[in-house]
Amino acid sequence: MKKERLDKILSHHGFGSRKDCKSLIHSGRVFVNGETCTDCEFPIDTEVDVIRIDDEVLQIREHVYIMMNKCQDVVSSTKDGLHKTVLDLLSSEYKINFLGGDLHPIGRLDIDTEGLLLLTTDGKLTHTLTSPKNHVVKTYYARLKNPVDIANQKEYSALFSSGLNVIAEGHEEAFVAKSATLVWPNENKCEYLTEFGDASSEVMISISEGKYHQVKRMFATVGNEVVFLKRISVGPLSLDAGLKPGEYRELTADEIRLLLG
Ligand code: URA
């Protein structure tokens, strides 16, 4: 059972500042379990009590879970002096203090990477999905500068699967990557044809860690270059194909259950 003050709950659900919420409560428009409540400090059991404002029942929620198709030119952080952040893409409905904590992106995508980015107030989920101990698999679609013919596709696949010695970048040291899986379009009997015939500049890569510029550095290690990168899935959750870059939606109850396990 979790108890919170009535005015705090209202202000964490978009009813304005604590002062605004106090006047709303004093106005007699707020009901708790069917009775008018004018006590701002009234302790609410968030799992049981029903709050109503005029005729509308408040759906009390502790956490928010959002799936975004991150677009390029925004950074995956909550603040940045220079660039727009993923939080700037959200509507005012999400620019409030939530009951369960601050809304933040789960992990990072580079500024020029698109695709699935989860945002939440649930620190436990963030930890589950980002802790290196949990080996959560992330799948990316990558477009490469140099198309790779079938012989080299086999070689790339073997190297990536056996643990690549990834080159250093800037202050980031070289490291041995955990086994990664590559899927080339030709392997799927040319489900989608490339403009290069047998050679493909397109590949899906699945990794279970999240080092700085990991995918780009892995392909740089084998002498190629990633020219476009999009994350398609994180653990059991895939990007909703209906979301255009920069769009987002809340996760469904089933998707939240899938992630929380
Ligand atoms: N690997 C990269 O190189 N960049 C990303 O944004 C994510 C994975």
Side-chain angles (χ1 to χ4, degrees):
M1 180 171 58
K2 194 156 180 197
K3 295 225 175 192
E4 297 282 4
R5 289 168 56 130
L6 179 59
D7 57 356
K8 179 174 173 189
I9 293 187
L10 292 183
S11 81
H12 284 243
H13 284 77
F15 286 89
S17 64
R18 206 56 94 80
K19 201 167 150 223
D20 296 333
C21 293
K22 282 187 185 1
S23 1
L24 178 65
I25 293 165
H26 288 146
S27 75
R29 292 170 53 204
V30 180
F31 300 80
V32 177
N33 301 326
E35 304 281 336
T36 314
C37 181
T38 50
D39 176 3
C40 297
E41 296 180 23
F42 190 85
I44 299 290
D45 178 338
T46 56
E47 285 163 14
V48 174
D49 291 333
V50 177
I51 302 175
R52 183 160 55 77
I53 299 96
D54 298 327
D55 290 332
E56 209 167 317
V57 172
L58 181 70
Q59 299 301 327
I60 302 177
R61 56 180 181 175
E62 193 178 357
H63 289 304
V64 174
Y65 302 88
I66 294 172
M67 162 190 292
M68 177 181 281
N69 182 359
K70 180 191 166 296
C71 54
Q72 296 186 357
D73 300 327
V74 294
V75 291
S76 311
S77 51
T78 51
K79 274 194 209 116
D80 190 277
L82 200 57
H83 300 100
K84 225 170 145 171
T85 74
V86 286
L87 292 191
D88 294 327
L89 298 176
L90 301 176
S91 68
S92 56
E93 173 188 358
Y94 297 104
K95 292 178 180 153
I96 60 169
N97 293 319
F98 288 97
L99 268 187
D102 292 337
L103 187 58
H104 59 274
I106 302 183
R108 281 170 190 268
L109 290 176
D110 299 335
I111 190 164
D112 56 352
T113 300
E114 291 185 9
L116 178 57
L117 185 71
L118 296 168
L119 296 104
T120 189
T121 53
D122 184 347
K124 224 167 124 192
L125 177 65
T126 304
H127 181 260
T128 305
L129 292 179
T130 56
S131 167
K133 286 189 198 131
N134 292 336
H135 311 291
V136 174
V137 175
K138 284 145 292 202
T139 299
Y140 296 82
Y141 162 84
R143 213 156 45 230
L144 306 173
K145 184 169 180 191
N146 308 310
V148 184
D149 63 23
I150 289 180
N152 276 306
Q153 288 176 19
K154 291 206 166 96
E155 201 172 316
Y156 275 35
S157 294
L159 282 167
F160 279 56
S161 141
S162 66
L164 200 61
N165 286 300
V166 179
I167 56 174
E169 185 185 314
H171 297 301
E172 301 290 324
E173 288 181 359
F175 68 100
V176 179
K178 294 205 163 56
S179 179
T181 308
L182 298 183
V183 175
W184 301 91
N186 318 63
E187 287 177 21
N188 296 337
K189 302 216 170 0
C190 292
E191 265 180 1
Y192 51 98
L193 291 168
T194 73
E195 58 191 301
F196 304 102
D198 281 345
S200 179
S201 56
E202 297 176 319
V203 64
M204 303 289 277
I205 173 168
S206 297
I207 57 175
S208 58
E209 51 194 339
K211 297 260 176 18
Y212 178 74
H213 284 177
Q214 175 147 354
V215 173
K216 292 172 186 162
R217 284 163 71 195
M218 289 178 88
F219 283 102
T221 301
V222 292
N224 214 321
E225 190 185 323
V226 173
V227 292
F228 176 76
L229 191 61
K230 176 173 179 174
R231 186 154 69 189
I232 304 299
S233 65
V234 173
L237 195 68
S238 295
L239 178 65
D240 180 335
L243 292 176
K244 297 196 186 80
E247 291 185 345
Y248 59 90
R249 66 160 171 83
E250 290 198 23
L251 295 187
T252 63
D254 281 349
E255 288 170 334
I256 295 170
R257 264 194 296 275
L258 199 62
L259 283 179
L260 297 178

